[in-house]
Amino acid sequence: MRSTQQSPQVRGPVWTPGQDGYRRETSGFNLAVEHRPEIVVGATGPGDVAEAVRHAAARGLPVTVQATGHGGALPAAGGLLISTRRMDGVRVDPVRRTARAGAGARWDQVVRAAAAYGLAPLNGSSPRVGVVGYTLGGGLPVLGRTYGWAADRVTAFELVTAAGEQITVTGGDLFWALRGGGKGGFGVVTEVEFGLVPVRRLHGGSLYFGGDAARDLLAAWREWTGGVPEEMNSSIALLRLPDAEGVPAPLRGRLSVQVTVAFTGSAMEGEALVRPLRAVAAPLIDAVGEMPYGDVAHVHNDPTEPNAYHETSLMLRDLPAERLLDLDDRAIVTAARHLGGALSRRTGQDSALGHRDAAYAVLTVSPEPAPLDALAPWSTGLRFANFLGGPSAAPLAREAYDPASLARLAELRATHDPDGVFAGAAALPAGKGEL
């Protein structure tokens, strides 16, 4: 491999600092994470990934991987960055109810492809998040209470190892580790296969309220979640959005409250379940109604344009709802997701993903780190890997796992990457010495 615009060993482009395209290729969705690798490989397939890994290993260069850059935490300082965004193929098998997604595929691509057959993936709230990174972290779906964690639906990984070998993983220790602990540096996943669920439509969307009703809404939502069926998925968020173009006028420059719902039952049942929330206060915006699953991105309305942020989280056994108002008011978003239901049950093979005992997940998105220490008395003691982002999140990665799982992940990383080829990509320790 040569540091030029094209390498004879790889089909994709190759950059070094200062060349046209270098900055564009290293930039991801989270602009707070700035990669400065020595070499960037724009991989077009597993062969490019394998060649890049072998090249890096032979020269002692740590490898970092980036697709969309939503979950970035460890900025690459030197080494080799593999950009997988060109590996964005998606294939749906409607008979087996499965999909295969390349390392650079986004969830909106899978949603569209599956919707043609009346099927749906267990995607998260943002349509532009990469399939592979989300799944490796465990994957908390919009329909999580109804269908469980995304990682539990995985049937196979295509992986490039630290030795540059291409293998298929369908069981064993690596399969355990990759489902939920896959950001630990075990290899480069080039494709993932996972199950789909039969969903054509939802009763869902967002209700937005003024901040003066925040305390009443938080208390009412917490009580309401105690009695809803597994078919109801919801969240509540305190929003402090700027007075800027693109933000709906009623929400600009003020505290507001967003309540999201995604219900897989009938529209009539959904309306009846949401009625108590509408009764707490008059919504500024009421965008809850019947929708095809293809429009699932409108449930949460997550931003789609890159920005700089720090994201942190805590998994809770119970939610002191009103305490959310006492958290750092610098946070643009302070949100709580209702868990339980299918998320509390194990399905199929065991995995590194925990959190089955958590009833709520709380996260903050902020321009500066926003600690959640005030919620520690209600915490399971763990964070959620997918809700950790930005430079401040890297030291928190190991807090996404219980001690036994963390120790097993460390031993597996030491076994499968003994020379630390993926040190640039791994947020988790290797071996007992780093625990």
Side-chain angles (χ1 to χ4, degrees), residues 138-274:
L140 177 55
V142 174
L143 299 182
R145 280 178 44 80
T146 310
Y147 292 107
W149 301 93
D152 288 341
R153 297 276 173 164
V154 174
T155 52
F157 294 99
E158 302 299 328
L159 187 78
V160 172
T161 69
E165 298 175 344
Q166 300 177 46
I167 64 173
T168 299
V169 183
T170 58
D173 283 344
L174 261 183
F175 195 58
W176 174 88
L178 291 170
R179 291 178 305 131
K183 296 184 178 184
F186 303 102
V188 182
V189 173
T190 58
E191 190 174 68
V192 60
E193 181 185 75
F194 48 90
L196 303 171
V197 296
V199 177
R200 290 185 178 273
R201 41 152 295 283
L202 291 176
H203 187 78
S206 287
L207 298 167
Y208 295 91
F209 302 87
D212 54 350
R215 196 168 298 278
D216 290 341
L217 284 162
L218 287 166
W221 181 80
R222 166 61 187 86
E223 182 177 0
W224 177 80
T225 58
V228 296
E230 291 184 7
E231 293 77 15
M232 175 59 78
N233 302 267
S234 69
S235 69
I236 191 167
L238 302 175
L239 307 178
R240 297 175 177 87
L241 303 179
D243 185 359
E245 185 178 352
V247 176
L251 312 180
R252 290 183 182 179
R254 60 180 293 187
L255 174 66
S256 59
V257 182
Q258 178 192 26
V259 177
T260 72
V261 296
F263 180 63
T264 57
S266 71
M268 183 177 297
E269 292 175 291
E271 280 294 305
L273 283 167
V274 175

Side-chain angles (χ1 to χ4, degrees), residues 106-142:
R106 303 180 310 273
W107 278 118
D108 55 355
Q109 298 173 259
V110 185
V111 168
R112 288 195 302 270
Y117 304 101
L119 299 171
L122 296 187
N123 57 284
S125 59
S126 174
R128 306 293 289 178
V129 163
V131 173
V132 168
Y134 163 94
T135 304
L136 292 175
L140 177 55
V142 174

Side-chain angles (χ1 to χ4, degrees), residues 1 9-11 41 43-54 87 160 164 166 190:
M1 183 181 297
Q9 287 82 29
V10 298
R11 296 177 61 186
V41 176
T44 61
D48 283 358
V49 173
E51 174 60 30
V53 169
R54 288 192 291 266
M87 300 168 59
V160 172
Q166 300 177 46
T190 58

Side-chain angles (χ1 to χ4, degrees), residues 25-26 35 37 39-42 62-66 76 78-83:
E25 198 69 19
T26 58
H35 294 300
I39 304 172
V40 184
V41 176
V63 173
T64 301
V65 184
Q66 176 169 273
L80 185 148
L81 172 68
I82 300 175
S83 171

Side-chain angles (χ1 to χ4, degrees), residues 424-435:
L428 299 181
K432 294 181 180 179
E434 292 189 24
L435 286 174

